[in-house]
Amino acid sequence: MAKTVWYVYLAECADGTLYTGITNDLKRRIKQHNGKLRGGARYTAARRPVVLAWSEEVDSRSCAQKREFEIRHLSRIQKTQLILGI
């Protein structure tokens, strides 16, 4: 059986804020955040359009959740550095 690939991502909202999340389908998730598909977060619904700013592939949902937790606790400057690859 094929292993499911999980992603941790940062999406930049129209107001310049960053949203951190996890998914196993990046394209679908960004469409959901932008209201093109059902689903998405309440946070991004009021801040559309949303664009994918950064993503990282991880081995499992558990790893994705742990990494998401780490990223959510970074400062804005640290998140920007992550996006820029600094």
Side-chain angles (χ1 to χ4, degrees), residues 2-66:
K3 186 175 176 182
T4 302
V5 177
W6 284 88
Y7 301 91
V8 183
Y9 65 92
L10 285 168
E12 186 171 5
C13 301
D15 65 358
T17 59
L18 295 171
Y19 175 85
T20 308
I22 66 169
T23 187
N24 57 5
D25 187 338
L26 279 171
K27 288 181 182 181
R28 183 200 76 231
R29 191 66 178 141
I30 296 301
K31 286 180 182 179
Q32 287 176 321
H33 285 310
N34 282 313
K36 295 177 182 175
L37 295 175
R38 190 174 177 153
R42 284 187 206 142
Y43 183 85
T44 58
R47 294 168 173 84
R48 293 177 182 149
V50 172
V51 295
L52 181 64
W54 172 88
S55 67
E56 178 179 282
E57 190 175 309
V58 292
D59 293 330
S60 66
R61 182 183 181 126
S62 176
C63 289
Q65 289 173 314
K66 289 174 186 173

Side-chain angles (χ1 to χ4, degrees), residues 54 77-86:
W54 172 88
I77 292 171
Q78 290 171 315
K79 289 176 186 178
T80 302
Q81 290 172 336
L82 188 64
I83 292 167
L84 296 174
I86 299 173

Side-chain angles (χ1 to χ4, degrees), residues 60-73:
S60 66
R61 182 183 181 126
S62 176
C63 289
Q65 289 173 314
K66 289 174 186 173
R67 184 70 170 132
E68 177 189 28
F69 180 83
E70 292 171 359
I71 293 169
R72 284 185 185 225
H73 288 86

